[in-house]
Amino acid sequence: MAKTEKVERSPKLDYEAIVVGAGFSGMAMLRKLREMGLSVRVLEAANGVGGTWHWNRYPGARTDCESWYYCYSFSKELLDEWNWTERYPSQPEMNRYLNHVADRFDLRRDIQLETRVLSAVYDDKSNTWTLKTNTGETLVTRYFISAMGFISQPNIPNFKGRDSFKGETYFTGLWPHEGVDFKGKRVGVIGTGASAIQAIPFIAQDASHLTVFQRTPNYVMPARNHPLGEEQREYIKKNYDDVWKKVRQHSFGMPLEVQNRNTFDVSPEEQRAILEKGWQSGGFRYVFETFDDMMMDPKANEVASEFIREQIRQIVKDPATAEMLTPKGYPFGGKRPPAGHGYYETFNRDNVTLVDVQANPITEITPTGLKTTAAEYEFDILVLATGFDAVTGALANVDIRGRDGIALKDKWQDGAKTYLGLGSAGFPNLFIIIGPQSPFANMPPSIEHNVGFITNAIDHLRQNNIAAMEPSTAAEEDWTQHTIDVANMTVMPLGVNVNSWFMGSNIPGKAQIINVYFGGANNYYDRCDLVVKNGFEGYNFHHSPAA
Ligand code: N01
């Protein structure tokens, strides 16, 4: 019965839904759409599932959210049977987990690997999307769902002589599966963002010499990783209901205790003691279990920033190196703060040199290394840890054309415009999981929430025999303005001058505007839930006949 109905409603469709990407988002979406009885295909450019955790295999790669909430919550059985081994799981462990999910829920049969989507074009008459792939396929679908990830489009700067280096070159986000042997090698690393900060201590252990080329010093919080014992694991498993309840209520999607305390509520001595406790607890606890105004009030932020600067001066023995590693002129949080594992300590090693390429920029890559305006450096291996065209980059890399042939890339030239990060006016039935202007928070809960919203939206269309939906221009403008307004209440936009991907300013020529929502993941979820409850207010519906 259902089969006949499907054929009548969708005679020209290859699949009712096509999901692009088989990481956390794509797999969660596939599972839900299958549950609804839709025909679904997931197209994935990589040769395996896992998204970020498939690609980013550089040494030291691991999460900086704690394992017990950086995971899916949808299946109690999965939560019970999976045993996290560390506070912050390593890339191999995350990749094993996501592959386990693919097997456990029999997802692989609908996932097509090594297939990159090149274009997606909307047809107004049939309300369908036509996708073309690098494998030569043309596929027609009704619902086009981007699960391409928040931070997935590599940024490899166009250095003069970029391809002239005769040694080995690796980009952190496209790391070879067989690994890289640094033993006895002279290594150069360009970049000191989260990827480099994780990789540098590991590379330093093996390299004969490591030269780190730093443009902007980062504020690096100590992660303080540790193995998880059986007792702690069992405790977490028993308390999962409480974990997810707290996650849902937290502005960054983490089950951490809100302190209800501001920096200047307490004396300078108490400030120090509280910051010290956060610093010792490690990772994002320094932000979320200390002072609530740290990311809002520039003066409060300066107290937290200065505390970190003091730690750097204490850890790094050479004063000149410590000074070079010390971030100045922008607030903690102005760039996305990374969590380190012995990062600053690595600069006490004899085989590690830090080079300031802010003062003396890189002028070219040479056959033997690179040149800056001040000196020439030689190495055997060059590691580019130069980041990503985050949030909008993966979408811009596909030629997406909506109604009237308008390209998404062109529409977003002056900055992304979305409604709730989930879609954009003029692009009916394009649903984006963790799109631009969605919360910057612990990703898996946001992904599951977005997947739930999209599932509800598609269900609404099918139940009401509606061909397509898209955000209204008014709703999109409101949301875009709201993301700007809330960001302006925080210190994050102050990172615009130090190449922050939050602001698009790490990519030359990209619009410099806040790319993410800082109004709280919890508030965002409430808002989305209300939109669903109110019959998808803010959306326009197309009642034209289905293809
Ligand atoms: O990238 P980045 P990333 N000349 O953009 C430098 C997530 N993540 O891959 O700061 C010289 O942070 C650039 O210098 P500057 C996380 O959200 C999470 O490290 O622009 N240098 C910078 O130092 C993170 O924020 C984890 O002045 C150049 C570096 O390259 C996001 O991914 C782990 C340059 C790029 O740093 C991106 O992190 C890893 C040039 N022309 C990543 N161009 C977890 O722990 C760029 N740089 C979960």
Side-chain angles (χ1 to χ4, degrees), residues 58 192-195 198 215-216 335-336 385-388 499 501:
Y58 59 83
T192 52
S195 304
Q198 289 185 329
R215 196 164 60 180
T216 311
K335 281 167 96 69
R336 194 279 208 191
T386 46
F388 297 85
N499 318 318
W501 65 256

Side-chain angles (χ1 to χ4, degrees), residues 52-53 56 58 61-65 70 150-151 155-159 171-173 190-198 213-218 335-339 341 357-358 361-362 384-388 390 440 498-502 505-506 508:
T52 290
W53 300 106
N56 286 271
Y58 59 83
R62 59 176 70 246
T63 71
D64 58 8
C65 285
Y70 186 84
F150 216 56
I151 301 173
N155 168 44
I156 301 182
N158 192 17
F159 293 115
F171 175 74
T172 46
I190 303 180
T192 52
S195 304
I197 277 158
Q198 289 185 329
F213 297 92
Q214 170 191 271
R215 196 164 60 180
T216 311
N218 243 311
K335 281 167 96 69
R336 194 279 208 191
H341 302 257
V357 293
Q358 180 71 41
I362 297 169
L384 297 166
T386 46
F388 297 85
F440 176 68
V498 282
N499 318 318
S500 160
W501 65 256
F502 287 157
S505 59
N506 65 323

Side-chain angles (χ1 to χ4, degrees), residues 24 62-73 79 82-90 93-94 97 225-228 232-233 236 240 243-244 255 285 442 444-445:
F24 257 112
R62 59 176 70 246
T63 71
D64 58 8
C65 285
E66 289 155 332
S67 48
W68 54 95
Y69 53 90
Y70 186 84
C71 57
Y72 291 118
S73 68
L79 290 169
W82 187 263
N83 290 318
W84 294 111
T85 65
E86 292 180 88
R87 180 179 181 185
Y88 306 101
S90 65
E93 184 164 6
M94 282 312 305
Y97 169 76
N225 191 29
H226 57 73
L228 286 188
Q232 189 173 6
R233 255 200 308 267
I236 293 163
Y240 253 124
V243 167
W244 297 123
R285 287 171 195 266
N442 176 29

Side-chain angles (χ1 to χ4, degrees), residues 32-142:
K32 286 301 275 186
L33 293 173
R34 243 197 220 165
E35 264 178 19
M36 292 171 78
L38 264 75
S39 62
V40 193
R41 195 75 169 158
V42 178
L43 305 177
E44 166 57 61
N47 64 2
V49 302
T52 290
W53 300 106
H54 173 90
W55 292 108
N56 286 271
R57 292 166 188 250
Y58 59 83
R62 59 176 70 246
T63 71
D64 58 8
C65 285
E66 289 155 332
S67 48
W68 54 95
Y69 53 90
Y70 186 84
C71 57
Y72 291 118
S73 68
F74 66 75
S75 160
K76 184 162 173 7
E77 294 73 29
L78 178 63
L79 290 169
D80 282 344
E81 74 199 14
W82 187 263
N83 290 318
W84 294 111
T85 65
E86 292 180 88
R87 180 179 181 185
Y88 306 101
S90 65
Q91 177 275 331
E93 184 164 6
M94 282 312 305
N95 203 30
R96 268 199 309 280
Y97 169 76
L98 289 164
N99 274 276
H100 170 74
V101 170
D103 293 330
R104 172 81 170 70
F105 298 96
D106 186 26
L107 300 177
R108 292 189 200 272
R109 65 188 154 89
D110 291 320
I111 300 175
Q112 183 174 325
L113 299 174
E114 299 185 81
T115 306
R116 184 175 287 282
V117 175
L118 303 176
S119 66
V121 177
Y122 186 70
D123 177 38
D124 294 335
K125 294 197 188 72
S126 60
N127 296 303
T128 58
W129 283 93
T130 300
L131 276 63
K132 292 200 170 167
T133 71
N134 66 342
T135 50
E137 285 167 282
T138 299
L139 299 169
V140 180
T141 188
R142 178 164 312 289

Side-chain angles (χ1 to χ4, degrees), residues 124-261:
D124 294 335
K125 294 197 188 72
S126 60
N127 296 303
T128 58
W129 283 93
T130 300
L131 276 63
K132 292 200 170 167
T133 71
N134 66 342
T135 50
E137 285 167 282
T138 299
L139 299 169
V140 180
T141 188
R142 178 164 312 289
Y143 310 114
F144 165 33
I145 301 168
S146 167
M148 290 189 272
F150 216 56
I151 301 173
S152 53
Q153 183 62 34
N155 168 44
I156 301 182
N158 192 17
F159 293 115
K160 184 178 166 201
R162 189 172 74 178
D163 302 323
S164 65
F165 182 58
K166 296 271 189 270
E168 299 161 47
T169 306
Y170 303 100
F171 175 74
T172 46
L174 300 169
W175 204 257
H177 288 204
E178 63 280 12
V180 177
D181 185 3
F182 290 104
K183 279 204 187 70
K185 300 280 173 59
R186 296 166 304 163
V187 184
V189 173
I190 303 180
T192 52
S195 304
I197 277 158
Q198 289 185 329
I200 282 167
F202 281 82
I203 298 174
Q205 280 169 27
D206 284 347
S208 63
H209 196 88
L210 168 62
T211 310
V212 177
F213 297 92
Q214 170 191 271
R215 196 164 60 180
T216 311
N218 243 311
Y219 293 94
V220 184
M221 307 170 291
R224 307 207 191 280
N225 191 29
H226 57 73
L228 286 188
E230 194 54 35
E231 212 175 299
Q232 189 173 6
R233 255 200 308 267
E234 285 314 308
Y235 177 83
I236 293 163
K237 285 183 185 181
K238 276 201 196 91
N239 287 284
Y240 253 124
D241 288 348
D242 189 44
V243 167
W244 297 123
K245 197 169 142 208
K246 284 185 175 152
V247 163
R248 177 63 179 77
Q249 289 166 353
H250 190 265
S251 53
F252 283 77
M254 301 180 191
L256 306 182
E257 302 299 335
V258 177
Q259 300 300 309
N260 295 315
R261 173 177 61 201

